Amino acid sequence: MLHALMNLLSLCWKPFGRGDGEGGVQSVGIVGANYGGGGGGRDGKDSLLWFRDVGKYAWGDFSMAVVQANQVLEDQGQIESGPFGTFVGVYDGHGGPETAHYVCDNLFRHFQEVSAETEGVVTGDTIQNAFRRTEEGFTELVSELWGTRPNLATVGTCCLVGVICQGTLFVASLGDSRLVLGKKVGNTGEVAAIQLSTEHNANLEEIRYELKEQHSHDPQIVVLKHGVWRVKGIIQVSRSIGDVYMKHAQFNREPIAAKFRLPEPMNMPIMSATPTILSHALHPNDSFLIFASDGLWEHLSNEEAVEIVHKHPHAGSAKILVKTALKEAARKREMRYSDLRKIDKKVRRHFHDDITVIVLFLNHDLISRGTAQEPPISIRSGVDH
């Protein structure tokens, strides 16, 4: 646990990069530094925007991009790909970067452990158990650091995970990041946008209904504040990893800040770390997948994002999505994109959120043969400055 703590703390102060890999796997932190390898392609930097224009993963090409808005980047993203298949994660932190870092360090590791226990068979339960172990590990870390870093109890992250294995895509989600499929419409040359993830945000009527059903004794389980629905008037998302102050009564007390402390006893967890999981059998008409934190979807619709990827080359597609969202954020504030680019991190958060985008293009010749492209890759897209 001390080793995990040192990793967690060090990640808050320096860029992330893994250049030596383990077990023959090429590893690279692609954002903010050019380490090379890790699926090929080119890394780049443009102001607070970093990107990998194109690379190779097991079942085709990928493109990644991230833009920083907060003083410390709270988003993390990863691609792990090899003979087993492909694991993609987008982790949108809130309250700080620590939980997103922890999940990026540990969720895939737990997924590997659970998969090994079932001799490589991947099911929804495999992913569910990996989430559970990660939540338990972070809660244990909060408990160990309660005396010195109690604020860690108020840090959490949304999680969006996709696993492609044996022609099936498994999708697991906590919070409000989103996965959208671009699907070819027959031979028309058009591509339809299909949302594959479930979002857990109190601004959605079905989520408010779910919360009220689960907490029928609590008339204040969701509260409308300044036009935004929030769980207990505090947080918009209803599911996450972390946020243990909303899950365990022993952490909902001093010395955490008063704004997080509930006025009444917590008789049951307010938030959940149980992901919604679905499986989707990949079809030859399934063209590409867009994984993104909610910062993208605040400015682009599913259809707009799919149309952008469809009309542009694979290379740079994630960067184009991020830049299009930023241009829309600038337009909403009656600014030019060139002016927005000059605004520094932290101040930028008044205009847009941290945004992480991963686009996977699906090569169905590889998928149908079950033959993964080599070499395996391990790529992580987060960095702090």
Side-chain angles (χ1 to χ4, degrees), residues 59 83-86 120-122 163-170 281-282 367 370:
W59 315 118
F84 74 92
T86 298
V121 176
V122 176
V163 178
I164 301 176
C165 183
Q166 297 181 337
T168 298
L169 167 67
F170 294 92
L282 292 173
I367 293 172

Side-chain angles (χ1 to χ4, degrees), residues 333-346:
R333 300 295 289 270
E334 299 181 344
M335 298 173 58
R336 294 176 299 181
Y337 172 63
S338 58
D339 295 325
L340 180 62
R341 286 184 59 189
K342 299 173 185 176
I343 299 174
D344 200 3
K345 58 193 176 184
K346 188 176 182 180

Side-chain angles (χ1 to χ4, degrees), residues 27-316:
S27 302
V28 55
I30 74 164
V31 174
N34 298 319
Y35 290 92
R42 181 176 69 89
D43 301 340
K45 177 180 179 181
D46 177 7
S47 184
L48 291 176
L49 170 66
W50 299 272
F51 53 88
R52 166 72 64 88
D53 272 340
V54 68
K56 300 288 186 182
Y57 77 105
W59 315 118
D61 296 338
F62 71 86
S63 182
M64 303 177 74
V66 57
V67 65
Q68 181 174 353
N70 288 292
Q71 179 65 34
V72 177
L73 182 69
E74 296 182 347
D75 276 13
Q76 292 286 306
Q78 68 183 138
I79 300 178
E80 309 286 345
S81 191
F84 74 92
T86 298
F87 178 104
V88 176
V90 170
Y91 316 119
D92 181 3
H94 46 261
E98 294 90 349
T99 314
H101 277 303
Y102 183 90
V103 172
C104 207
D105 284 343
N106 291 280
L107 183 55
F108 176 66
R109 178 174 63 83
H110 288 310
F111 171 79
Q112 289 179 301
E113 292 171 354
V114 179
S115 297
E117 292 168 4
T118 58
E119 298 181 347
V121 176
V122 176
T123 66
D125 287 342
T126 308
I127 302 170
Q128 189 95 267
N129 287 333
F131 271 74
R132 177 181 53 78
R133 292 184 186 185
T134 306
E135 168 77 0
E136 290 173 351
F138 187 75
T139 303
E140 181 182 350
L141 182 61
V142 172
S143 180
E144 291 187 7
L145 297 180
W146 178 253
T148 56
R149 295 191 61 195
N151 63 300
L152 203 59
T154 64
V155 181
T157 188
C158 301
C159 299
L160 174 64
V161 166
V163 178
I164 301 176
C165 183
Q166 297 181 337
T168 298
L169 167 67
F170 294 92
V171 182
S173 57
L174 295 171
D176 54 10
S177 295
R178 186 182 303 173
L179 170 59
V180 176
L181 166 69
K183 188 179 187 73
K184 297 176 184 176
V185 182
N187 296 317
T188 65
E190 298 180 355
V191 177
I194 301 173
Q195 184 170 327
L196 294 180
S197 58
T198 300
E199 295 174 29
H200 310 104
N201 189 307
N203 277 311
L204 299 173
E205 184 177 0
E206 59 267 31
I207 297 302
R208 295 198 298 275
Y209 177 81
E210 176 183 81
L211 287 165
K212 291 175 181 178
E213 283 285 295
Q214 294 171 348
H215 303 271
S216 57
H217 62 287
D218 186 355
Q220 299 296 311
I221 187 63
V222 287
V223 178
L224 185 64
K225 296 182 68 173
H226 308 296
V228 177
W229 287 98
R230 296 180 180 273
V231 181
K232 299 301 293 181
I234 299 173
I235 188 170
Q236 285 183 252
V237 295
S238 62
R239 302 192 195 189
S240 69
I241 287 181
D243 296 308
V244 301
Y245 75 105
M246 292 284 265
K247 298 170 180 174
H248 304 282
Q250 66 264 37
F251 301 119
N252 197 279
R253 58 183 176 87
E254 292 183 338
I256 68 169
K259 64 180 180 179
F260 297 115
R261 300 200 298 267
L262 302 178
E264 67 281 340
M266 186 189 302
N267 298 317
M268 62 181 292
I270 304 296
M271 296 177 67
S272 167
T274 302
T276 298
I277 299 178
L278 65 81
S279 62
H280 170 80
L282 292 173
H283 185 274
N285 280 3
D286 295 344
S287 184
F288 53 83
L289 300 163
I290 304 173
F291 297 79
S293 54
D294 75 317
L296 182 79
W297 309 111
E298 288 176 3
H299 303 293
L300 296 180
S301 68
N302 295 351
E303 292 73 20
E304 289 170 334
V306 163
E307 188 70 7
I308 288 168
V309 175
H310 176 52
K311 288 187 173 181
H312 289 85
H314 290 191

